[in-house]
Amino acid sequence: MTDPVGKLPSQLDQLPDRDPEETAEWAASLDAVSEHAGAHRAEYLMRRTLQHAEEAGLALPRLLETDYVNTIPTSAEPSVDGDEEMERRITAWNRWNAAAMVTRGSKYGVGGHIATFASAAWLYETGFNHFFRGKEQDGSGDQIYVQGHASPGIYARAFLDGRLDESHLDHFRQEAGGKGLPSYPHPRRLPWLWEFPTVSMGLGPLSAIYQARFNRYLTNRGIKDVSQSHVWAFLGDGEMDEPESTAALALASREGLDNLTFVINCNLQRLDGPVRANFKIVQELEAQFRGAGWNVVKSLWGNAWDELFQLDTTGALVRRIREVPDAQVQTYQTRDAAYIREDFFGKDPALVEMAKLLSDDKILECFHLSRGGHEPRKVYAAYKAALAHKGAPTVILAQTVKGFTLGEGFASKNANHQMKKLTNDEFKNMRDLLELPISDSQFADGQVPYGHPGADSPEVRYLHERRAALGGPAPTRRMHAVGALPAQSEKAFTSFDKGSGSQSVATTMAFVRLVKDLMRDKETGKRWVPIVPDEARTFGMESLFPSLGIYSPKGQTYEPVDRDQLMYYREAKDGQILNEGITEAGSMADFIAASTAYSTHGETMIPFYIFYSMFGWQRTADQMWQLADQLGKGFLIGATAGRTTLTGEGLQHADGHSPMIAATNPAALTYDPAFAYEVSAIVKDGLKRMYGENPEDVFYYLTVYNEPMPQPAKPSGVDEGIVRGLYRFNTAESAGVNVPANAPGIQLLGAGTAIHWTLKAQKMLAEEWGVAADVWSATSWTELRRDALEADAAILRGEERTPYLRKALDGISTPVLAVSDYMRQVPDQIAQWVEQDYTSLGADGFGLSDTRDAARRHFGIDAESIVVAALAQLARRGEVPASAVKEARERYGL
C-alpha cells in the first residue's frame, strides 16, 4: 500500500550527495539504535555527535534547546576562590536585613518586595564576592543592572559594609525628608549608589546591551580603553515578556559582545502567578537566546539531583523533567513526598522503580531545596564560564524558588510578590534556618531587629577584603565632576546671525550644519556622538558619513555601492556615527549610555539623537524617564516636527503633541525654535548648562522642522529671551507695515514653524484690516510655565517673584493670540499667567495626508485663520466691528 503521506522533501535534496550509499548507512545505523536500544539512546548519540561536531569546528546549525539539566556538570565545576562558609554567613545576614527592612516599613504602609531577593541572593552575593569589579582601579569597573525588586538585598549589603546605617534602612521608601532610600534603583534619588534605573521592566536588558556596545565604541574610538569592563544584567524570567527585553539580542551576538552577561533569575513566577504555567520558560528562553546567537548556560538543579541523574539509565527522568510544566514544579515545592512520588515518579514505570531507591527526605531535598541558583558553587561555575566564553554574549538561566528561606508561607506562593512582611514567628524560623545569632529578646516591642555581626567582625572584614581586591564598593556611582569641557568656537554659533538671505533653510538643516561645525573642534569634536535610527539622509546627515564614519566593530568588509560618490556610505571600526537602523528604542538606549559616560566611565560625551519627532517622545518616552533618572545629558532632536510640516505622511506621522509629553519630564528642557539663530543660541546654552563649570543634570529636547524657509537675521539683545522662552521678534512698526494712528493692536505669539504663518498674518492684518500686530517668538512654552510655577512656589514661601512671562509682556494692554503647529494644550501651558486677554490656535485632532497649505487650512492655523481669529478677539473687545470677522471669513473662504 502506498504511504498516503510519503517522504517529505528535504532542503538537502537540492544539494549533490557524492556518496548516497554512505548516507543511507548512517540513517540505517540510527534506525537500528532506535529499534534495539530505544529512542532515548538514539537521541543521546545524536546529541553527542552534534556536540563533538561543534567542538571540532564543523559548520553545523546548533540545537536551539537542550535537556532540562545543568550545562556544567558537578564534576566540571571549578573550585571557589574564597571562604564558602564565610560567604554563607554574609548572605544570611543580608537575607535577614532585607526582609527586616521591608517588614519594619510595612507598618507605615510603604511596603516593599521580599521574595525576589530571597530567590536571587546567591546570584548577587557570588558576583559581589568574586566577579563584580569596582571603580577604584580604572574609574569604570563593571556595570551592574540590578533587578529592581531585589533592591532591599542591595541595601542590606550596603548596611553590612557600613555604607548605610539603621536609620537609612528605617527610611526605606520614605524619601520626602531627604534621607530615605528609594524603592528601586533610582540614581537621581540615591546618586552615590545606583548607576542604572531598572524597574521599568524591559528597559534594563535593552540598556545593558547598548551599554556593553557603547563600551566597545569608547574603546574602538580611542576615547578610553574600557575593554576590562563587563556588563552584568540581572533580570526576572517574567520580565523577558517585555518586547524591549529581547529586542536587541541579535545586535549583541552580531557584534560579539562577550563583555555582556545576562543573569535571568528563573523562579518561574511573575507578579501574579507562573511565568509559563503550562510550559517551561527556561526552555523557551534557551531557544530564543541560542537562536539569536548567544552562549547559554543553564544552572537548574543543585547537587542533590546528581544521584537521581546517575540512576536515570533509561532517560525517563530527563523526559519527565522536560514535560512537567512550570506551574506543576511550583506545586511540588509546596507538597509532601507522597504527592511527589505519585504525581512525578508515578507517570513512568522506570521512575516508579527509581523512586523506590529514594527516601522521603531525599525527594523533599531535591524538590524543595535543591536549585542551581541557590548553590554558590554552581553560580560561581556559571559566572566563570560566562567570562571565559569569547565571541558572543552569555545568558545564565538560573533556576530558583521565589521566596526561598522565607518559610512555607512565602516559598513559591503566587501571591508572594504582594506579601510585604513576615510575622515574628516566621522570622524566628528564618533565623534558625540561617543559623543567625539573634535572640528572642531582641524582638523588642514585637518588632523584628536588624542584625549585624559588628564592624570589626570576621564577616565584615572578609567582605571588605573581597571588595578591595575587586576594586572597591559595588554597586556605586561616580559622583565627582569630570571637569568642564572647553568652550566651543564662537564662530560656529554665529554662522546664522546674518540670516540666510534669499536661501530657504529648514531648522533641521541648520542644526546639522551647526553640529558639523562644532565637531570640527580639536578639543571637543571627538566627544560628539551622533545617533540616528536610519533615515540620516532625511535629516541631511549624509555629508557626515565619509568624514566621521559609521561605527561598526568589523569596519567595512565590503565595497559600498556608492564608493565613487562624494558622500559615500563609509563604515569604520572607529566611526563616530551610531546609525542604528529602524529602532528608536535602541537609539535611545545608545543615547542613555553616551549621555551618562561622564559618570560610568569618567568621560564626558555629547550625544545628539535625531529622530522623527512623532516616533520619539510618543514611542519611547519611558526611556526618556529612564534617561532623567540616570542623570543623562545631551540633545534630543525631534525632526520633521509639528503636525503640518511633513507633507503627505498621514495620521501617525503628524506630531502634534511631543512637546506636551516632553513637558511632563522635569529634566527635559523643551524648545521649539523658529529660526536658525535660535537653534544656535539654545545649543550654546545647553552646552554651557550641561557641560560647563556648574553642570546641571538636564537634557534638551529641540523640535526642528524640515520645511525650507527664509531665515531672518538675528535681532540684537534677544539671547536671554530665546533661552527663557519668549522675546518680541518685531513690532508692526519695525516690520515696516503701514497702519493708521491709534489702530487696534494685538500680540501674536508664534513658535517653531508657526512663526512664518504668524508673520504673514501680521502683514495681512495691517494691510487689509488696519490692525497693528507685534510678533513674538515663543521658543519654549514649557520653560515659561516652569518659571511661572517656580514664582508661584516662591510666593508660598513668602518671597516676591514675578514670572519672566509677565515681565516680558509688562505694560502691554492689547490682547494676546498664541499660534502653534501643535495641539492648543501646548501654548495653553502659559494661559493662567498671561494677564492680557489670551487665546490660542493649534492643530488638535488626528493628522492627515495633504499639502502643507491644505493641512494648515484644515486645522485652522494658516495665516488667513490667524487673521480671522485675531479679528474675532478684537471684535469681542469692541475694537473692530463684528462684521469684519464675517467679511474676513468669506474673503478667505473659511
Side-chain angles (χ1 to χ4, degrees):
M1 181 177 179
T2 304
D3 184 351
V5 177
K7 180 183 176 182
L8 294 175
S10 166
Q11 64 180 155
L12 296 177
D13 293 343
Q14 60 192 319
L15 303 176
D17 185 347
R18 68 179 187 180
D19 193 340
E21 185 177 348
E22 181 182 34
T23 304
E25 289 174 356
W26 275 77
S29 296
L30 185 62
D31 290 341
V33 172
S34 297
E35 182 178 352
H36 297 290
H40 169 68
R41 180 62 180 167
E43 292 168 4
Y44 180 83
L45 289 175
M46 285 299 299
R47 292 191 181 210
R48 275 293 192 185
T49 303
L50 286 171
Q51 182 179 359
H52 181 76
E54 184 176 344
E55 292 170 353
L58 299 182
L60 291 175
R62 301 170 64 194
L63 289 174
L64 293 184
E65 185 181 323
T66 61
D67 284 327
Y68 202 72
V69 297
N70 295 344
T71 302
I72 303 171
T74 300
S75 60
E77 292 171 3
S79 59
V80 177
D81 178 23
D83 187 330
E84 295 182 53
E85 173 56 25
M86 187 68 73
E87 292 176 19
R88 185 198 65 78
R89 296 206 301 268
I90 290 171
T91 304
W93 285 117
N94 292 338
R95 286 182 181 277
W96 177 271
N97 288 320
M101 175 178 62
V102 174
T103 297
R104 286 165 70 111
S106 66
K107 68 180 180 180
Y108 302 110
V110 295
H113 301 288
I114 304 177
T116 294
F117 179 72
S119 68
W122 277 116
L123 302 180
Y124 290 102
E125 293 299 322
T126 302
F128 286 128
N129 288 327
H130 300 282
F131 294 96
F132 303 157
R133 297 171 60 255
K135 291 184 178 291
E136 292 178 358
Q137 292 176 347
D138 61 5
S140 294
D142 288 353
Q143 289 77 59
I144 308 166
Y145 289 75
V146 174
Q147 190 180 359
H149 293 125
S151 63
I154 310 305
Y155 291 139
R157 191 169 224 273
F159 171 63
L160 198 65
D161 72 17
R163 292 192 291 167
L164 295 175
D165 58 29
E166 288 192 12
S167 176
H168 289 116
L169 300 192
D170 271 343
H171 285 83
F172 175 59
R173 291 192 169 192
Q174 299 174 64
E175 300 179 78
K179 61 178 181 179
L181 301 178
S183 54
Y184 305 122
H186 291 304
R188 186 170 284 272
R189 291 301 183 207
L190 200 62
W192 61 266
L193 180 71
W194 299 120
E195 274 199 291
F196 308 108
T198 53
V199 83
S200 188
M201 293 190 189
L203 300 190
L206 178 69
S207 293
I209 290 173
Y210 281 89
Q211 181 65 58
R213 196 282 195 91
F214 191 74
N215 290 355
R216 291 279 172 86
Y217 173 89
L218 286 177
T219 301
N220 289 338
R221 288 198 55 221
I223 303 294
K224 182 181 181 181
D225 183 358
V226 295
S227 56
Q228 297 305 305
S229 290
H230 198 84
V231 178
W232 301 84
F234 288 83
L235 317 168
D237 47 0
E239 180 178 5
M240 301 311 292
D241 281 345
E242 290 283 6
E244 295 88 354
S245 294
T246 55
L249 298 187
L251 168 75
S253 61
R254 186 168 65 244
E255 299 205 357
L257 298 181
D258 50 25
N259 60 339
L260 169 68
T261 298
F262 276 16
V263 182
I264 303 182
N265 177 17
C266 297
N267 57 35
L268 313 185
Q269 287 184 250
R270 52 186 175 208
L271 308 188
D272 286 330
V275 179
R276 294 289 184 272
N278 297 298
F279 305 92
K280 301 194 83 63
I281 185 60
V282 168
Q283 300 300 85
E284 179 181 319
L285 291 174
E286 179 185 28
Q288 193 168 15
F289 278 87
R290 281 183 177 274
W294 287 52
N295 175 46
V296 178
V297 176
K298 293 197 290 190
S299 185
L300 307 178
W301 306 111
N303 285 338
W305 283 83
D306 287 351
E307 179 183 338
L308 275 67
F309 289 129
Q310 288 301 309
L311 295 173
D312 186 29
T313 58
T314 66
L317 178 62
V318 171
R319 286 197 302 274
R320 181 66 180 137
I321 290 173
R322 192 166 54 203
E323 71 186 19
V324 173
D326 285 349
Q328 190 64 19
V329 173
Q330 283 183 264
T331 299
Y332 294 149
Q333 180 71 31
T334 63
R335 297 301 183 92
D336 59 20
Y339 178 88
I340 298 171
R341 284 183 186 276
E342 178 181 351
D343 191 86
F344 182 82
F345 293 95
K347 303 295 185 182
D348 187 294
L351 293 180
V352 171
E353 293 303 311
M354 179 188 294
K356 292 177 181 178
L357 303 175
L358 305 174
S359 67
D360 284 356
D361 286 345
K362 182 65 176 181
I363 289 175
L364 292 178
E365 180 187 12
C366 288
F367 285 85
H368 286 191
L369 302 175
S370 191
R371 298 289 188 275
H374 296 320
E375 297 192 8
R377 276 181 169 254
K378 296 200 177 296
V379 177
Y380 182 91
Y383 288 5
K384 198 88 170 174
L387 292 181
H389 187 84
K390 301 303 177 185
T394 294
V395 59
I396 295 169
L397 303 174
Q399 186 165 261
T400 66
V401 175
K402 194 168 185 179
F404 191 66
T405 74
L406 298 181
E408 295 181 358
F410 267 83
S412 284
K413 295 299 174 65
N414 284 337
N416 60 21
H417 184 75
Q418 303 300 329
M419 297 162 70
K420 312 298 184 187
K421 60 184 178 180
L422 279 71
T423 67
N424 281 354
D425 286 341
E426 288 172 324
F427 266 110
K428 290 173 182 177
N429 289 334
M430 181 182 178
R431 171 201 61 191
D432 296 341
L433 175 66
L434 298 176
E435 300 177 349
L436 291 172
I438 298 172
S439 65
D440 288 355
S441 62
Q442 289 178 261
F443 285 76
D445 301 321
Q447 179 164 259
V448 58
Y450 292 121
H452 200 292
D456 195 40
S457 64
E459 292 92 335
V460 174
R461 288 202 305 272
Y462 180 87
L463 185 155
H464 286 158
E465 289 168 2
R466 299 304 304 178
R467 289 311 316 159
L470 287 165
T476 189
R477 180 181 177 276
R478 179 191 296 268
M479 284 285 287
H480 60 270
V482 295
L485 288 179
Q488 286 78 14
S489 169
E490 189 67 25
K491 182 180 179 181
F493 296 111
T494 59
S495 59
F496 276 106
D497 282 4
K498 294 182 180 179
S500 63
S502 59
Q503 181 185 8
S504 291
V505 177
T507 53
T508 302
M509 298 299 103
F511 174 81
V512 171
R513 192 161 116 188
L514 169 65
V515 174
K516 187 176 181 180
D517 290 342
L518 292 172
M519 285 192 287
R520 292 193 179 104
D521 186 277
K522 293 182 180 179
E523 294 290 328
T524 61
K526 67 180 181 179
R527 298 195 175 273
W528 284 87
V529 183
I531 303 167
V532 59
D534 212 14
E535 294 212 62
R537 298 177 193 276
T538 300
F539 309 130
M541 293 176 62
E542 65 270 27
S543 62
L544 303 179
F545 289 171
S547 58
L548 300 182
I550 298 164
Y551 173 73
S552 169
K554 291 185 177 295
Q556 194 156 36
T557 61
Y558 61 93
E559 183 177 354
V561 67
D562 54 359
R563 183 64 181 84
D564 57 344
Q565 297 180 15
L566 180 63
M567 291 182 283
Y568 68 97
Y569 195 85
R570 184 175 76 89
E571 296 187 78
K573 191 172 182 179
D574 62 350
Q576 192 164 352
I577 302 169
L578 292 173
N579 193 353
E580 289 302 354
I582 305 175
T583 168
E584 286 80 15
S587 300
M588 193 63 216
D590 262 338
F591 186 90
I592 292 171
S595 72
T596 54
Y598 73 93
S599 173
T600 309
H601 294 299
E603 295 290 342
T604 299
M605 307 301 287
I606 313 171
F608 75 87
Y609 163 32
I610 188 166
F611 51 90
Y612 271 42
S613 64
M614 65 282 170
F615 294 148
W617 276 97
Q618 81 176 27
R619 191 165 194 165
T620 53
D622 195 13
Q623 287 179 285
M624 278 72 164
W625 280 96
Q626 180 189 4
L627 168 67
D629 196 344
Q630 205 166 317
L631 289 76
K633 311 170 192 288
F635 296 95
L636 298 176
I637 309 299
T640 62
R643 184 145 276 164
T644 68
T645 66
L646 188 60
T647 58
E649 293 288 345
L651 186 148
Q652 285 181 277
H653 282 64
D655 172 25
H657 50 276
S658 70
M660 200 68 249
I661 303 175
T664 65
N665 191 309
L669 306 185
T670 305
Y671 287 90
D672 185 20
F675 305 121
Y677 67 77
E678 293 179 354
V679 173
S680 294
I682 294 165
V683 171
K684 181 180 179 181
D685 176 70
L687 290 170
K688 179 181 178 181
R689 289 183 67 174
M690 294 186 291
Y691 305 103
E693 292 295 334
N694 299 296
E696 300 177 43
D697 297 320
V698 296
F699 60 92
Y700 278 61
Y701 176 50
L702 275 69
T703 52
V704 290
Y705 51 85
N706 73 326
E707 185 175 0
M709 301 294 284
Q711 298 295 328
K714 180 180 180 180
S716 61
V718 298
D719 287 278
E720 181 187 11
I722 293 173
V723 172
R724 299 292 295 273
L726 182 69
Y727 68 94
R728 181 154 31 196
F729 175 72
N730 68 17
T731 63
E733 182 180 3
S734 65
V737 294
N738 296 318
V739 291
N742 300 319
I746 192 167
Q747 309 299 311
L748 301 179
L749 278 56
T753 190
I755 199 80
H756 299 284
W757 330 319
T758 306
L759 288 167
K760 181 179 178 182
Q762 177 190 44
K763 184 177 182 181
M764 293 171 64
L765 281 167
E767 294 178 352
E768 300 180 32
W769 305 99
V771 173
D774 296 349
V775 173
W776 299 68
S777 180
T779 54
S780 180
W781 310 104
T782 301
E783 287 305 294
L784 292 173
R785 176 181 176 80
R786 287 176 177 171
D787 174 77
L789 288 171
E790 289 174 9
D792 287 354
I795 292 173
L796 294 177
R797 296 192 299 266
E799 304 170 15
E800 286 298 325
R801 180 175 165 186
T802 303
Y804 171 81
L805 173 63
R806 284 185 178 165
K807 289 181 182 178
L809 298 176
D810 186 47
I812 292 174
S813 59
T814 53
V816 174
L817 172 61
V819 185
S820 173
D821 199 23
Y822 296 93
M823 57 196 300
R824 288 179 62 179
Q825 192 174 349
V826 174
D828 284 352
Q829 290 179 83
I830 68 170
Q832 72 185 82
W833 292 279
V834 178
E835 296 177 312
Q836 293 80 3
D837 178 13
Y838 180 88
T839 190
S840 63
L841 294 176
D844 286 76
F846 288 107
L848 77 167
S849 302
D850 214 310
T851 64
R852 293 183 176 114
D853 290 342
R856 286 162 190 164
R857 174 57 59 91
H858 170 82
F859 288 112
I861 52 176
D862 59 355
E864 291 79 4
S865 298
I866 296 171
V867 170
V868 172
L871 293 174
Q873 197 169 357
L874 292 169
R876 287 193 297 271
R877 297 163 55 90
E879 296 179 19
V880 300
S883 60
V885 180
K886 182 175 184 294
E887 181 183 347
R889 282 201 306 267
E890 292 174 351
R891 181 183 302 182
Y892 303 135
L894 298 179

